Amino acid sequence: MVFFKHSFLAALLGVALSFGTAAQAQEVRIGAVFPMSGPNASYGDIFGSGANLAAEHVNADKMLSGKLSIQYEDSQALPQQGVIGMNKLVNVEKVPYVLSAFTGVSKAISTVAQRTKTVAVNGGGVGPDMAELGPYFWNVIPLANFEVRAMIPYLVKERGLKRVVLVYVDDPLGQAIRKELESALPATGGQLVEALSVPNTAQQFSGIAARVRDAKPDAVYIASYGSQQLQIIKQFRDNGVTQQLASYSAFSVPEINAFPEAKGALYTTQNVDWTSKDPVTKRFVDDYKAKHNKLPSAYIANYYNAVRLFALLAKDLQKKGKPITGENLLAQRIETKTFDLVGGKTSFEANGTVIAPIQVNEVDGKGGKAVTVAHAK
C-alpha cells in the first residue's frame, strides 16, 4: 500500500510537471528594450502602455496558440545599456522579436539583431539612417527626414517663418535633423541662420538662449528629447526667446503638452485619425481611453502596432506549422503585403520602413491638436 501511494504521487507529480512543461512551451514571448529609469523613463511608460494593450488584445482574441508576454529590459536610453538588455533577451530569454526605442540605442542593438537574426522593431527613434540597419531592423514610425520635410513647408509657406535656428542634441538623431534642415530650408525659400549643438547631458541653456536671441530667427527648431527638451523650452522662455518653437515627434509626450511654456509650439507626428471607425483603430482608442482616461499618442499607437504586427506574423507562421523565429518572421513580413494596424492598412518598404502621412500639431494644453496633414516625399 505504501508503495502504491508513493507510486501514485510520483505519477501525479510527473503529470503535473508534463502539463507545466507543455504550458510553458506554449507561451509566446517577445522582448522590449525601453528606458525604464533615468531622465527618459517617462518614454518607457508611454511605449509600454501601447505594447501591453496590444498583448492584452492578442491574448483576449486568442490569436496565437499560447499566451503572448513581453519581457522588458531597461536601456536607460543609453546605447551600452541597450546592448546589455538586447544580449539578455536574445541569449538568455531566446526571444525572436524585440521592441526598440531611441536612435542611439536602436543603432547599437541592430548589430546584435543582424548577427543573431532577431527582429528588432523601432517605434520611437526617428534618425533617418535607421532605414539602413539591415533586414532584421524594422521601423513602424516615419523617420525624421519625413517629419522635417513636412514641417518646413508649413513653417515657411503657411506661417511665413523663414529664418530658423536649430538647437540640437549632438548625437546621431540631432546630426541627422541638422542635415535635413540644411537641405529642406533653402529648397522652400527658408534659411538656417544658426545651428547650435548641445551635449545630450546638458541642462543649462541660458548661454544658448542668448545666441538664439542674437540670431533673430522667426522660429526655433528644437531637436532634443526627454527632460532636456523641457529645460530648453523653459530656459528659452525665461531668457526672452519669444519666437515660434517647433520640433519633431519627441514633443508628443504628456509632459510637453501640459507644460505652460510650450503652449503654441508646433511638432510633427504620423497622421492617425483617432475618430476613425476602422475596427482596429476604434478598439485601440476606446480601450486605451477606458484604461487611461485620455486619448493615446502616436508613440503609443506605434508600439501597439509593433506588437500587433508580431502577432499577425506569428499567427500565420503557426498556421503553416513553422517555428516563430526571426528568419521566419522576416520572410512572412516580406510575403504579406499589407497589415491591418492602428491607422488603417499598412505596408512596408523593402528596407522594413513604413512611409505614412505626417501631421503638424500644436501644443494646446489638452493633448495637442492637428493643424495640417502633409504627404512628405
Side-chain angles (χ1 to χ4, degrees):
M1 180 68 72
V2 173
F3 174 78
F4 174 80
K5 181 177 180 181
H6 282 298
S7 299
F8 181 68
L9 289 175
L12 280 180
L13 179 60
V15 170
L17 286 173
S18 68
F19 272 117
T21 302
Q24 198 171 31
Q26 288 180 353
E27 182 182 34
V28 180
R29 186 182 300 181
I30 62 175
V33 182
F34 288 167
M36 303 175 74
S37 65
N40 295 300
S42 62
Y43 285 100
D45 293 337
I46 292 166
F47 302 159
S49 68
N52 291 337
L53 180 59
E56 288 180 23
H57 285 171
V58 169
N59 290 330
D61 295 347
K62 294 182 169 54
M63 287 179 66
L64 305 176
S65 59
K67 181 181 179 182
L68 175 63
S69 65
I70 306 172
Q71 174 71 34
Y72 288 95
E73 295 296 329
D74 184 10
S75 72
Q76 300 177 18
L78 300 173
Q80 184 176 0
Q81 290 300 120
V83 170
I84 292 171
M86 180 69 169
N87 278 323
K88 180 181 177 183
L89 290 169
V90 172
N91 298 321
V92 179
E93 304 296 339
K94 306 294 185 182
V95 301
Y97 190 95
V98 177
L99 309 180
S100 178
F102 285 78
T103 300
V105 172
S106 294
K107 291 179 72 174
I109 73 168
S110 68
T111 56
V112 180
Q114 302 312 311
R115 185 178 70 250
T116 61
K117 297 182 179 180
T118 303
V119 174
V121 182
N122 161 55
V126 293
D129 52 357
M130 291 173 68
E132 304 167 0
L133 297 181
Y136 287 93
F137 193 91
W138 309 348
N139 297 282
V140 294
I141 181 174
L143 301 179
N145 49 336
F146 293 100
E147 291 200 47
V148 171
R149 291 172 200 173
M151 174 66 83
I152 293 308
Y154 177 75
L155 286 179
V156 174
K157 296 180 178 180
E158 300 296 322
R159 301 288 291 267
L161 306 173
K162 298 183 178 182
R163 291 171 51 82
V164 177
V165 164
L166 168 65
V167 178
Y168 67 102
V169 64
D170 191 10
D171 70 0
L173 167 67
Q175 293 156 10
I177 288 180
R178 173 177 178 164
K179 182 179 178 181
E180 196 64 41
L181 283 170
E182 287 173 342
S183 61
L185 276 164
T188 55
Q191 179 186 2
L192 183 62
V193 295
E194 189 85 74
L196 305 170
S197 67
V198 297
N200 59 10
T201 56
Q203 293 292 315
Q204 299 298 321
F205 304 104
S206 57
I208 296 290
R211 294 182 64 181
V212 172
R213 289 199 313 270
D214 291 343
K216 297 180 172 56
D218 299 320
V220 181
Y221 193 104
I222 299 171
S224 179
Y225 43 79
S227 61
Q228 186 182 71
Q229 62 187 2
L230 291 168
Q231 288 301 320
I232 292 174
I233 295 168
K234 178 171 175 47
Q235 293 179 43
F236 276 18
R237 292 311 194 208
D238 288 348
N239 285 276
V241 176
T242 60
Q243 286 90 343
Q244 174 69 56
L245 300 181
S247 190
Y248 68 109
S249 50
F251 266 31
S252 64
V253 294
E255 292 89 344
I256 291 287
N257 273 290
F259 201 43
E261 290 87 345
K263 191 170 184 180
L266 301 170
Y267 63 96
T268 42
T269 61
Q270 69 263 45
N271 175 240
V272 179
D273 180 7
W274 303 122
T275 66
S276 172
K277 301 303 181 184
D278 162 69
V280 176
T281 305
K282 188 175 188 308
R283 182 189 189 189
F284 163 71
V285 173
D286 289 349
D287 287 4
Y288 190 87
K289 284 173 65 178
K291 186 180 289 285
H292 299 280
N293 197 32
K294 61 183 177 182
L295 277 171
S297 70
Y299 280 149
I300 296 166
N302 290 341
Y303 285 102
Y304 181 97
N305 281 342
V307 173
R308 179 173 168 81
L309 173 64
F310 167 80
L312 292 170
L313 295 172
K315 178 182 179 181
D316 287 341
L317 291 176
Q318 287 184 336
K319 283 183 177 179
K320 295 177 178 179
K322 292 184 177 181
I324 303 172
T325 65
E327 286 183 278
N328 287 341
L329 288 166
L330 173 60
Q332 188 63 44
R333 194 215 77 204
I334 293 171
E335 179 184 326
T336 308
K337 300 307 179 186
T338 61
F339 301 89
D340 291 321
L341 302 179
V342 171
K345 289 191 178 297
T346 302
S347 59
F348 284 83
E349 298 291 299
N351 63 7
T353 298
V354 297
I355 297 178
I358 304 294
Q359 68 186 40
V360 180
N361 309 277
E362 181 179 339
V363 175
D364 61 355
K366 301 176 182 177
K369 63 179 181 181
V371 294
T372 189
V373 177
H375 293 263
K377 299 179 180 179

